[in-house]
Amino acid sequence: MKLCTENQFAHLSDNARGNTGRAARTQSATYGLKTCNNWIKSVLIARFTRRRPGVSDFDPEDRSLRPNGRVLDMGCGKGGDIDKWNRAKIEEYVGIDVASGSIQDFNERIQSSRRRLNFRPHLYVLDCFSFPISVAVPRALLEPKFDTISMQFCMHYAFESEKKVRQMLENISNSLRIGGTFLGTTLSASRLLDLLSHIPEESEELSIGNPYYNIVFDKRDYEGTYGHSYRFTLVEAVEDCAEFIVHWEAFRELALSYGLKEVYRKDFDEVFAEEQTKPESVKLAERMGVTTNGHLNMDAEQWSACSIYMAFAFMKVK
């Protein structure tokens, strides 16, 4: 299991582990959960990736050729989403992660991959919650502004303090063009707080979970928006890692003050239900092994672990 030490961006995909092969991943006890998470990220990327306006070198009617703009991936980890961005036919990719080891593994993933990328990745080491992006990324790569900014399974680490959340939002707002999107996945505060409320009053430990995951809250009642911590464990991925609840209403209001307007927010089970009405999403779920003949390839406890997460998207409006 991976200890939450240097890399605070401990993702729930293969980003949080070594670069294992597909055969090994299919033997994982949480394979169904991780596959579903990857499918939801694929759906989110396909739906909300924005194209760069003013591109005249491609036929605007031919969606198979038209580039999907510039992407900034904050908390990119070991590059577990690189194939998703490749399928989205993006034009340029900048990935940032706090862990130098993850960036090194990302580079090795690219070099060892047999798949041809349609873009050149630019990778940098930086804590995006503590420093401006310009500290690490060359000015030439910050213009024109990005069309899409992604933060997958890592935003909740910023909620240790208001200062870190504001630095994160400043990086996003300063780097995203008007009309661009900020998309991502994180834990659902409403789901976590609901689970916490159902822990019996007489319980000595504020713990929830099942054989696949475990969450231990520091306090039952918490006043304030930031620093509401818990310890998180996921089998084969994260061990006893300090994370923080994203109080969504407060975050949405703060994000709007940075020119970011919420356009989408759904818990993972709601995403699944909605996307099952779309033939292209159904086909993708079958192809990725999330479902077989419409049935989920995971047990109820893995589905319970999956359902504590949410997907979101904001548009830069000013």
Side-chain angles (χ1 to χ4, degrees):
M1 301 178 73
K2 179 181 178 63
L3 293 175
C4 182
T5 52
E6 180 189 12
N7 187 1
Q8 62 179 312
F9 301 144
H11 303 163
L12 293 187
S13 66
D14 58 351
N15 291 353
R17 306 173 61 203
N19 292 331
T20 57
R22 178 176 175 82
R25 291 196 297 271
T26 59
Q27 300 301 315
S28 166
T30 55
Y31 176 72
L33 167 63
K34 294 171 184 174
T35 303
C36 188
N37 288 343
N38 276 315
W39 172 74
I40 287 176
K41 286 191 290 182
S42 295
V43 167
L44 194 66
I45 286 170
R47 179 170 179 175
F48 289 107
T49 299
R50 289 292 179 261
R51 293 173 173 79
R52 181 163 60 87
V55 176
S56 58
D57 295 335
F58 293 83
D59 180 358
E61 301 300 323
D62 189 344
R63 293 174 63 91
S64 66
L65 295 178
R66 192 178 181 191
N68 276 341
R70 308 182 71 234
V71 171
L72 172 62
D73 195 354
M74 294 170 60
C76 62
K78 300 176 186 295
D81 294 332
I82 197 69
D83 286 340
K84 302 178 185 65
W85 294 114
N86 205 37
R87 287 194 295 272
K89 296 182 173 61
I90 65 171
E91 186 179 17
E92 193 166 26
Y93 175 96
V94 175
I96 303 175
D97 199 90
V98 69
S100 57
S102 291
I103 294 299
Q104 181 178 346
D105 287 344
F106 196 156
N107 274 309
E108 291 175 359
R109 178 192 290 265
I110 294 170
Q111 293 168 9
S112 63
S113 176
R114 295 180 180 179
R115 297 186 182 181
R116 178 184 176 275
L117 293 180
N118 299 313
F119 56 91
R120 178 188 173 189
H122 306 273
L123 305 177
Y124 300 94
V125 178
L126 183 73
D127 180 353
C128 297
F129 304 155
S130 300
F131 302 98
I133 288 175
S134 58
V135 169
V137 181
R139 185 181 300 273
L141 283 176
L142 297 177
E143 293 292 344
K145 292 184 182 296
F146 293 95
D147 303 283
T148 304
I149 295 179
S150 175
M151 293 191 69
Q152 303 297 337
F153 294 114
C154 62
M155 187 176 78
H156 39 276
Y157 296 105
F159 276 73
E160 180 179 2
S161 68
E162 181 178 356
K163 182 179 180 180
K164 288 189 175 185
V165 173
R166 285 187 175 276
Q167 181 64 71
M168 176 189 74
L169 285 171
E170 185 175 319
N171 280 330
I172 294 167
S173 184
N174 288 345
S175 304
L176 190 63
R177 70 167 174 82
I178 299 293
T181 54
F182 160 46
L183 58 88
T185 47
T186 190
L187 286 100
S188 169
S190 60
R191 293 291 171 93
L192 292 183
L193 295 175
D194 180 63
L195 291 169
L196 175 60
S197 70
H198 284 85
I199 298 176
E201 290 290 339
E202 63 274 13
S203 178
E204 295 183 0
E205 186 177 52
L206 301 177
S207 177
I208 60 174
N210 61 35
Y212 296 105
Y213 81 100
N214 184 63
I215 295 175
V216 180
F217 296 93
D218 290 345
K219 298 179 180 179
R220 184 181 293 276
D221 299 309
Y222 187 86
E223 295 183 2
T225 303
Y226 308 97
H228 193 173
S229 62
Y230 57 89
R231 308 294 301 187
F232 180 69
T233 297
L234 178 72
V235 171
E236 299 180 348
V238 183
E239 183 177 356
D240 195 32
C241 185
E243 300 185 359
F244 303 89
I245 291 179
V246 178
H247 290 280
W248 193 255
E249 296 303 321
F251 176 68
R252 179 168 57 186
E253 183 177 345
L254 183 62
L256 189 58
S257 72
Y258 284 82
L260 301 165
K261 181 180 179 180
E262 180 191 290
V263 294
Y264 180 86
R265 197 220 74 87
K266 291 184 184 293
D267 291 334
F268 274 18
D269 54 353
E270 297 173 318
V271 177
F272 183 82
E274 180 183 64
E275 294 300 323
Q276 288 305 294
T277 66
K278 303 176 182 179
E280 65 275 16
S281 295
V282 173
K283 291 179 181 178
L284 180 62
E286 293 275 340
R287 188 164 65 248
M288 293 181 67
V290 178
T291 58
T292 300
N293 297 324
H295 298 287
L296 278 165
N297 292 327
M298 68 175 80
D299 58 33
E301 290 177 322
Q302 284 193 59
W303 179 241
S304 176
C306 187
S307 299
I308 63 175
Y309 289 91
M310 55 167 279
F312 63 84
F314 289 78
M315 178 179 288
K316 176 74 177 293
V317 293
K318 65 178 182 179

